Amino acid sequence: MQTALTKNIIDVNNLRNEFPILSREINGHELVYFDNAATTQKPNRVIDAISNYYKNYNANIHRGVYSISIEADEAYAASKEKVREFINAEGSREIIFTRGTTEAINLAAYSFGRQHVNEGDEIVNSTVEHQANIVPWQVLCSEKKAKLVVIPINDNGEILIDEYKKLLNSKTKLAAICHISNSLGTVNPVKEMIQIAHQKNITVLIDGAQAVQHMKVDVRDLDADFYTFSGHKMYAPMGIGVLYGKAELLEAMPPYQTGGDMISSVKFSGTSYNEIPMKFEAGTPNVEGSVGLMEAIRFIQDTGIEQIHEYEKELLDFATEKILSIEGVKIIGTAKIKTSVISFIVEGLNALDIGIMLDTMGVAVRTGQHCTEPLWDRFGIPGTVRASLAIYNTKEEVEYFIYSLKKVLSILN
């Protein structure tokens, strides 16, 4: 599907050619992929980088003295440095590779949380969190007899900052907040929230799984203590993610898992642990994932994160206007500042039925709770249809989506 060049000078026609899956047909229709908040598709350059790793230098790192092991080691280190540059961390030793955001949050909860949270303490969460940034803290609070307190939101899906301020007190040990809501697209004012927390010496973890692919993230400008994100939502492979942590915090934290390169020396009389970040990377690492992540970051940098942000905002505004023109459709999540996610319900119809029918026309959307059940409880609904957009989506795809949605609604009604 073609689209005209936009004012930000991104050639989307040419860019789409980098994504082989976009040429697929589904049920006789050209694929329209609108589930990017779950997983983005992969450009050829990422696929080729992974293939090249397996074809030419597949080996375990940190142990081998032979050439291809050294090459793999160098690629892994280069990927760490690329991530450091991408989010402007102070040093690559502050970059821990994980399987994704979920493991990164669990690592922080297990290691930092069990070290600092005690009976009677509190952890602050928000109503718009993904369950991966809720359940680890619930488990920790249950174990430590601590309390999880929740920041309320308004009807637009925006965090109530004044209520957030009221929740912070001498018992608060940590605030765990998403940068952007995966279900609503709401961009939370995390820089302000971090500043408010730091005034009370409260540590802050930011779930950035929905942010780094859409906007510039500078962890030092934010002053985030921890920041997490996943490769598969930013054009990289599944199974690779990042926990950024300030060096002084990581150095003081105990290991999360044991074995492999997280060990410095082992004797039956006792074991000493490696330096960060290796202290938190037990076992054989996902080298191919790191190689793919590095190439995905290069893709984002070559495209231009500011240009991506501008184009996706233009696409979001266009799609929002089109959806609101359909009678009976209501968008859930109307924050003043949001990214390219549109969650909606249709009066009298089931979201799952809509999603299944859209698939027959080649349109891929997400339906249900999107791992944010407490959020939908707040709105009193069972879930939504979610269309989430990325840099390779076009206005023509939006037009076809609207056409397909109208046809589906006419059938279901």
Side-chain angles (χ1 to χ4, degrees):
M1 292 183 179
Q2 301 298 302
T3 187
L5 297 183
T6 63
K7 59 186 177 181
N8 58 15
I9 322 178
I10 284 184
D11 187 346
V12 181
N13 297 331
N14 186 56
L15 185 146
R16 284 175 62 85
N17 291 331
E18 295 193 43
F19 291 83
I21 200 171
L22 298 181
S23 64
R24 268 206 68 180
E25 286 194 354
I26 303 295
N27 297 316
H29 301 276
E30 188 174 336
L31 171 65
V32 174
Y33 185 78
F34 281 1
D35 193 23
N36 296 287
T39 293
T40 52
Q41 299 303 333
K42 319 309 173 191
N44 280 319
R45 58 196 291 177
V46 170
I47 297 168
D48 291 345
I50 297 169
S51 177
N52 180 55
Y53 165 76
Y54 278 120
K55 288 178 179 177
N56 292 299
Y57 60 103
N58 174 39
N60 266 39
I61 65 172
H62 296 158
R63 299 177 184 87
V65 296
Y66 51 92
S67 295
I68 63 171
S69 177
I70 294 170
E71 289 176 22
D73 199 353
E74 289 173 347
Y76 191 75
S79 181
K80 281 272 178 79
E81 175 57 24
K82 177 56 70 174
V83 173
R84 183 213 64 76
E85 171 195 309
F86 184 58
I87 62 172
N88 195 33
E90 185 174 347
S92 59
R93 69 196 190 111
E94 296 178 317
I95 307 300
I96 299 165
F97 282 147
T98 63
R99 288 178 297 162
T101 302
T102 298
E103 185 180 41
I105 294 170
N106 274 272
L107 192 164
Y110 182 93
S111 184
F112 179 87
R114 281 165 177 76
Q115 187 181 48
H116 293 276
V117 176
N118 297 296
E119 184 174 351
D121 288 338
E122 294 180 354
I123 296 172
V124 172
N125 219 204
S126 87
T127 307
V128 297
E129 300 305 319
H130 188 286
Q131 66 189 28
N133 200 30
I134 298 174
V135 179
W137 308 114
Q138 287 179 325
V139 171
L140 177 64
C141 286
S142 176
E143 178 184 317
K144 293 288 189 173
K145 298 181 180 179
K147 183 179 180 182
L148 188 71
V149 295
V150 183
I151 313 163
I153 59 173
N154 62 23
D155 290 341
N156 296 327
E158 298 163 322
I159 279 178
L160 298 174
I161 292 295
D162 288 342
E163 296 301 316
Y164 167 66
K165 293 177 181 177
K166 292 176 185 177
L167 291 176
L168 303 181
N169 58 65
S170 59
K171 297 179 182 179
T172 311
K173 290 297 184 290
L174 181 130
I177 305 157
C178 66
H179 199 156
I180 296 175
S181 164
N182 73 299
S183 286
L184 304 180
T186 304
V187 180
N188 291 323
V190 293
K191 184 174 181 179
E192 179 187 0
M193 296 177 80
I194 291 169
Q195 290 173 342
I196 293 168
H198 283 177
Q199 289 171 2
K200 296 180 179 292
N201 296 316
I202 297 167
T203 303
V204 183
L205 178 143
I206 302 297
D207 169 3
Q210 299 294 333
V212 292
Q213 66 275 48
H214 297 299
M215 61 184 1
K216 176 65 177 175
V217 171
D218 184 327
V219 293
R220 282 193 279 180
D221 179 63
L222 293 176
D223 198 22
D225 299 301
F226 298 103
Y227 196 97
T228 70
F229 57 94
S230 300
H232 70 99
K233 298 180 189 295
M234 53 179 290
Y235 313 104
M238 295 182 179
I240 186 74
V242 172
L243 171 65
Y244 157 81
K246 290 181 177 176
E248 61 269 24
L249 295 176
L250 296 176
E251 287 171 343
M253 287 161 50
Y256 171 53
Q257 296 175 326
T258 58
D261 281 331
M262 60 76 59
I263 293 166
S264 176
S265 175
V266 177
K267 300 183 184 302
F268 283 113
S269 58
T271 295
S272 59
Y273 304 126
N274 215 330
E275 298 177 347
I276 61 170
M278 289 186 286
K279 181 172 71 171
F280 295 105
E281 294 183 352
T284 301
N286 183 2
V287 181
E288 68 274 26
S290 74
V291 168
L293 177 61
M294 177 165 55
E295 195 58 41
I297 291 174
R298 287 174 178 155
F299 164 75
I300 291 172
Q301 291 175 328
D302 290 347
T303 307
I305 191 65
E306 291 82 7
Q307 287 79 8
I308 290 172
H309 180 73
E310 184 180 349
Y311 176 79
E312 290 179 345
K313 175 64 167 60
E314 181 182 327
L315 203 60
L316 172 66
D317 291 344
F318 180 77
T320 300
E321 181 182 355
K322 292 292 183 180
I323 288 178
L324 287 175
S325 70
I326 305 175
E327 185 178 354
V329 175
K330 179 181 179 181
I331 293 177
I332 308 297
T334 55
K336 292 177 182 178
I337 304 175
K338 62 180 291 186
T339 54
S340 48
V341 170
I342 303 175
S343 278
F344 63 92
I345 57 175
V346 181
E347 186 178 353
L349 295 181
N350 183 282
L352 178 62
D353 292 338
I354 295 171
I356 291 172
M357 291 289 289
L358 283 172
D359 179 63
T360 66
M361 303 183 72
V363 179
V365 295
R366 181 71 53 161
T367 65
Q369 297 177 334
H370 323 306
C371 298
T372 55
E373 184 177 351
L375 174 63
W376 302 133
D377 289 342
R378 158 63 175 80
F379 283 101
I381 57 176
T384 67
V385 179
R386 184 186 71 185
S388 51
L389 311 172
I391 186 59
Y392 44 63
N393 292 130
T394 68
K395 288 184 178 180
E396 284 73 19
E397 285 184 313
V398 171
E399 293 275 16
Y400 178 73
F401 163 63
I402 296 299
Y403 162 80
S404 301
L405 179 59
K406 288 179 178 178
K407 187 172 182 180
V408 165
L409 298 187
S410 68
I411 295 171
L412 293 177
N413 281 321

